[in-house]
């Protein structure tokens, strides 16, 4: 085994070298069980994993998207792209990111990782038509290189059709999460498929209408197909018909998280600006917790509907972990997002009312979230006591806050003002509609140096940076390291009367009384202080969560 491993490893390096110097290979190149994603030279490349990798100690970090330090073959088994018998895998290299999630799948336990400099996603190797050859960062869609095609996904996808159509009044991105647990059983599972087939037909999918994808919830979530796989009604109905029952526990919370991580991204083909909807079907009650997953869905702008069938009988209530799961799971507990049905029989009468709700743009309250709706102004102390090195730490802290938001011409916006005795508008809320450009502008602000007149800076920012908008939309994050030479209370109160919520962040010698005076109510959750500039990063998540909480409460 060691000699074979060494030989495979050397052969893998040789093949990697060939690719690096432009020598194309017509077949997947072999790698070892421990080859990492970071070892792959090409951005998109096909590799060949050996058998029996589960007998090796492989490190895998992430779910769907994996950190570059992860074993490619281990991740491929985890992702269900290959079996432990090995096989070809298409690897797509991606940028680094934060918060890689852990999960257990196919006998492989992936680990959580807070951050890594590079990532990769995986796809099965198969020959598919152009309509389905889109590669995504978090999916396992078939790749374009020839291999033995899988029977089910290709059954109704052999001809590319240049068809147009669909319900233009319902241009939604809709993920259906089906109950495939032991609770529902094979017979009711088939009735469930019949119901969602009727629902899909009523929605009238099409390239210019709603797009529909399906995930099954059981012990582990199983993606059946993604939003862009079937954009013609007949193809979609055949795909639903081919879905097989799984069985197991009703781990709906896991299925919701899986769907959020893999479905709703531009890389997965989601159309920009189109409302995102998730319809979760539960027969009985869930086996796991829904509250956290539903909170993430709301904060991500996904409108979560819950279709519940066959409520627990009184003698079964003791088995239900959270009796309020229906209220906690939906986008809003207002009756609109909850759709109870007494049984799987005679469901036809429920198809049209549910379809109308899914297509009701005005009712989809979760489409607008803090992440894509707020204006954030940064008021930055550029006085002499800060120093250029610490000033850079302040900018990095503010950039980490900004990165959490979906900055775009139709989303969140940021602007910045630097102050000493004077004030300088570094850039306005509408100067940089692209996220990367806005972050570069923020991190590239030159240091001024001078005195400290915080009160005048607040008044200047209120007048020159913000515009009147709806409640809970304008936020000001103020960072200062010392005593202001003017009054801060009256300008801060005036700003708050204009609808601006102020987060006051102090460093070093910033007076606590001044920080509290400038901060919005309640003072405790809007005031932050650290002795060292390096401690600013610890406040990032608290500030982001606070902004989102206030936006949600106001809207």
């Amino acid at each position: 085994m060691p000699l074979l491993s060494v030989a495979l490893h050397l052969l893998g390096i040789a093949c990697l070298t060939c690719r690096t110097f432009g020598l194309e290979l017509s077949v997947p190149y072999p790698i070892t069980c421990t080859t990492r994603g970071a070892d792959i030279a090409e951005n998109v490349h096909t590799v060949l994993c050996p058998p029996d990798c589960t007998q090796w100690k492989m490190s895998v970090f992430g779910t769907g998207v994996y950190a570059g330090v992860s074993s490619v073959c281990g991740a491929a088994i985890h992702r269900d792209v290959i079996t432990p018998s090995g096989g070809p895998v298409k690897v797509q290299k991606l940028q680094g990111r934060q918060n890689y999630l852990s999960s257990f799948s196919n006998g492989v336990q992936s680990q959580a990782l807070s951050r890594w400099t590079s990532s990769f996603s995986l796809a099965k190797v198969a020959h598919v038509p152009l309509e389905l050859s889109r590669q995504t960062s978090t999916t396992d869609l078939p790749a374009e290189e020839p291999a033995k095609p899988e029977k089910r996904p290709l059954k109704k996808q052999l001809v590319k059709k240049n068809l147009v159509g669909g319900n233009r009044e319902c241009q939604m991105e809709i993920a259906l999460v089906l109950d495939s647990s032991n609770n529902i059983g094979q017979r009711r599972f088939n009735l469930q498929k019949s119901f969602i087939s009727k629902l899909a037909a009523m929605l009238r999918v099409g390239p210019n209408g709603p797009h529909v994808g399906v995930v099954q919830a059981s012990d582990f979530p199983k993606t059946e197909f993604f939003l862009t796989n079937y954009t013609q009604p007949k193809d979609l109905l055949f795909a639903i018909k081919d879905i097989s029952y799984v069985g197991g526990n009703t781990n709906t919370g896991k299925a919701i998280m899986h769907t959020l991580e893999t479905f709703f991204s531009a890389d997965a083909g989601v159309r920009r600006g189109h409302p995102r909807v998730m319809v979760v079907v539960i027969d009985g009650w869930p086996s796991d917790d829904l509250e956290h997953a539903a909170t993430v869905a709301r904060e991500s702008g996904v409108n979560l509907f819950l279709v519940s069938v066959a409520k627990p009988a009184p003698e079964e209530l003791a088995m239900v972990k959270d009796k309020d799961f229906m209220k906690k799971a939906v986008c809003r507990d207002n009756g609109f997002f909850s759709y109870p049905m007494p049984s799987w029989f005679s469901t036809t009468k429920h198809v049209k009312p549910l379809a109308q709700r899914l297509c009701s743009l005005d009712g989809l309250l979760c489409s607008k979230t803090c992440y894509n709706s707020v204006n954030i102004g940064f008021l930055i102390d550029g006085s002499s006591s800060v120093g250029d090195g610490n000033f850079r730490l302040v900018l990095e802290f503010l950039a980490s806050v900004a990165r959490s938001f979906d900055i775009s011409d139709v989303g969140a916006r940021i602007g910045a003002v630097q102050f000493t005795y004077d004030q300088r508008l570094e850039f306005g809320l509408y100067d940089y509609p692209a996220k990367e450009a806005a972050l570069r502008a923020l991190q590239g602000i030159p240091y001024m140096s001078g005195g400290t007149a915080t009160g005048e800076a607040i008044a200047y920012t209120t007048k020159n940076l913000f515009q009147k908008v709806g409640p809970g939309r304008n936020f000001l994050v103020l960072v200062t390291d010392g005593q202001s030479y003017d009054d801060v209370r009256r300008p801060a109160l005036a700003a708050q009367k204009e609808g601006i919520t102020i987060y006051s962040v102090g460093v070093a010698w910033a007076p606590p009384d001044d920080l509290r005076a400038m901060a919005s109510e309640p003072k405790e959750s809007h005031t932050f202080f650290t002795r060292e500039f390096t401690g600013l990063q610890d406040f990032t998540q608290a500030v982001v969560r606070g902004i989102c909480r206030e936006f949600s409460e106001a809207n």
Side-chain angles (χ1 to χ4, degrees), residues 58-303:
M58 301 176 295
S59 297
V60 178
F61 300 90
T63 300
V65 173
Y66 300 92
V69 72
S70 302
S71 158
V72 172
C73 297
I77 296 172
H78 180 270
R79 187 66 176 149
D80 200 24
V81 173
I82 60 172
T83 67
S85 300
V89 179
K90 192 161 191 176
V91 182
Q92 179 168 353
K93 301 190 72 172
L94 305 169
Q95 293 181 345
R97 59 181 61 196
Q98 298 179 352
N99 299 325
Y100 295 90
L101 301 177
S102 65
S103 64
F104 181 82
S105 179
N106 301 313
V108 177
Q109 176 66 58
S110 72
Q111 304 175 57
L113 190 63
S114 60
R115 178 181 300 182
W116 197 255
T117 55
S118 63
S119 309
F120 65 92
S121 64
L122 304 164
K124 292 182 179 180
V125 177
H127 179 71
V128 296
L130 294 177
E131 184 177 50
L132 300 176
S133 63
R134 181 195 304 270
Q135 294 302 311
T136 71
S137 65
T138 56
T139 72
D140 56 358
L141 297 180
E144 297 179 7
E145 296 187 33
K148 184 178 180 180
E150 294 185 13
K151 182 178 179 181
R152 184 180 60 78
L154 300 180
K155 181 185 287 186
K156 296 298 176 182
Q157 304 174 28
L158 298 178
V159 180
K160 177 175 173 60
K161 301 175 182 179
N162 294 318
L163 301 178
V164 295
N167 183 3
R168 290 179 177 271
E169 302 301 317
C170 184
Q171 296 190 44
M172 313 298 181
E173 308 286 53
I174 303 174
L176 302 176
V177 179
L178 307 187
D179 190 335
S180 192
S181 67
N182 293 332
N183 279 354
I184 194 169
Q186 179 70 65
R187 184 187 180 202
R188 294 202 301 272
F189 180 80
N190 291 336
L191 293 173
Q192 177 184 219
K193 288 202 303 179
S194 174
F195 172 70
I196 67 164
S197 294
K198 295 173 185 176
L199 179 64
M202 179 66 68
L203 290 170
R204 289 193 292 135
V205 302
N208 300 317
H211 290 175
V212 173
V214 172
V215 170
Q216 290 202 67
S218 56
D219 286 328
F220 301 100
K222 180 185 178 185
T223 299
E224 292 296 337
F225 50 86
F226 292 89
L227 295 167
T228 54
N229 285 162
Y230 302 99
T231 57
Q232 294 299 322
K234 184 181 292 186
D235 296 337
L236 177 61
L237 295 179
F238 273 114
I240 292 173
K241 182 179 179 181
D242 280 347
I243 296 174
S244 300
Y245 173 59
V246 177
N249 291 316
T250 316
N251 287 335
T252 311
K254 285 185 180 180
I256 293 173
M257 289 299 298
H258 170 81
T259 307
L260 291 172
E261 292 160 7
T262 59
F263 268 57
F264 299 111
S265 70
D267 290 335
V270 170
R271 296 167 291 183
R272 183 176 181 179
H274 291 239
R276 302 170 183 183
V277 174
M278 189 185 307
V279 181
V280 178
V281 183
I282 296 182
D283 184 290
W285 60 91
S287 303
D288 61 351
D289 176 53
L290 299 190
E291 186 172 7
H292 171 70
T295 299
V296 175
R298 283 192 292 271
E299 293 180 350
S300 302
V302 175
N303 298 273

Side-chain angles (χ1 to χ4, degrees), residues 21 162 197 209 271 348 366 414 444:
F21 286 94
N162 294 318
S197 294
R271 296 167 291 183
T348 303
C366 284
I414 64 170

